[in-house]
Amino acid sequence: MTLQETINTDLKTALKAKDETVLGTLRLLKAEIQYELTKTGASELSDTAVMQILKSNFKRRKDTAVEYDKANRPDLSKKEIQEAEVISRYIPKEVSDEEISKAVTEAMGELNVSGAQDMGKVMGKVMAKFKGQNIDGSKVSSLVKQALSVR
């Protein structure tokens, strides 16, 4: 079953269970998937394309929750966090810092980097290694900067 089919099935289940949080979140996701289908003219999106939609929605919910916390609106923050938790069910576990650090060390060894000017090469190599997995680019960037500054 594709990711898109899984979301549609879970949407039907949430509708029957009358779970408003899950239902609302999945409806928004389905709407974004439909928008992408309309833009591309395809009948179904690849799991990679759906994963990008999920990741961007997850990140948006997390960022919005932080902003609501800053604005002293815990009620709205809680709602965003709940929606992020629903989305996280469909996103694979995030790559750990240890795995990223190991990949950075390996990439630096393979590429024979000499300094900060090689950051792009290392970033590209590490991100390519984890393509299709849930990896935070800003984490990779900070770990690469840290590793390059040690050199």
Side-chain angles (χ1 to χ4, degrees), residues 4 33-46 49:
Q4 188 175 346
I33 291 169
Q34 280 302 125
Y35 176 72
E36 285 297 316
L37 287 171
T38 304
K39 266 183 18 183
T40 61
S43 61
E44 190 168 324
L45 292 178
S46 67

Side-chain angles (χ1 to χ4, degrees), residues 7-24:
I7 290 171
N8 288 334
T9 303
D10 291 352
L11 178 68
K12 291 174 190 170
T13 305
L15 188 61
K16 290 176 186 173
K18 296 182 169 110
D19 188 343
E20 293 301 320
T21 303
V22 174
L23 184 60

Side-chain angles (χ1 to χ4, degrees), residues 93-150:
K93 189 176 151 270
E94 192 169 307
V95 178
S96 71
D97 289 351
E98 294 80 33
E99 289 177 281
I100 296 171
S101 293
K102 183 179 174 191
V104 168
T105 306
E106 288 173 4
M108 288 173 62
E110 289 174 20
L111 296 171
N112 285 330
V113 295
S114 57
Q117 69 273 14
D118 294 324
M119 183 170 172
K121 291 179 188 175
V122 177
M123 283 285 297
K125 185 104 171 144
V126 172
M127 293 303 282
K129 179 176 180 173
F130 294 109
K131 186 169 179 68
Q133 296 182 34
N134 188 14
I135 186 164
D136 184 2
S138 60
K139 258 188 207 175
V140 175
S141 175
S142 67
L143 289 171
V144 169
K145 282 180 190 172
Q146 184 180 12
L148 288 173
S149 70
V150 172

Side-chain angles (χ1 to χ4, degrees), residues 18-91:
K18 296 182 169 110
D19 188 343
E20 293 301 320
T21 303
V22 174
L23 184 60
T25 305
L26 293 180
R27 278 183 174 159
L28 287 171
L29 291 174
K30 185 172 180 177
E32 286 204 32
I33 291 169
Q34 280 302 125
Y35 176 72
E36 285 297 316
L37 287 171
T38 304
K39 266 183 18 183
T40 61
S43 61
E44 190 168 324
L45 292 178
S46 67
D47 278 352
T48 307
V50 174
M51 187 58 66
Q52 285 304 114
I53 292 170
L54 291 170
K55 286 179 183 179
S56 68
N57 272 275
F58 180 77
K59 185 175 181 345
R60 189 177 319 135
R61 297 292 188 306
K62 287 292 201 180
D63 292 345
T64 305
V66 169
E67 292 302 316
Y68 282 141
D69 281 336
K70 287 179 186 175
N72 199 23
R73 292 297 308 265
D75 54 326
L76 297 174
S77 175
K78 180 182 175 191
K79 181 179 183 284
E80 293 294 327
I81 291 170
Q82 289 172 338
E83 289 178 359
E85 288 171 359
V86 171
I87 296 169
S88 71
R89 297 176 192 170
Y90 303 98
I91 300 174

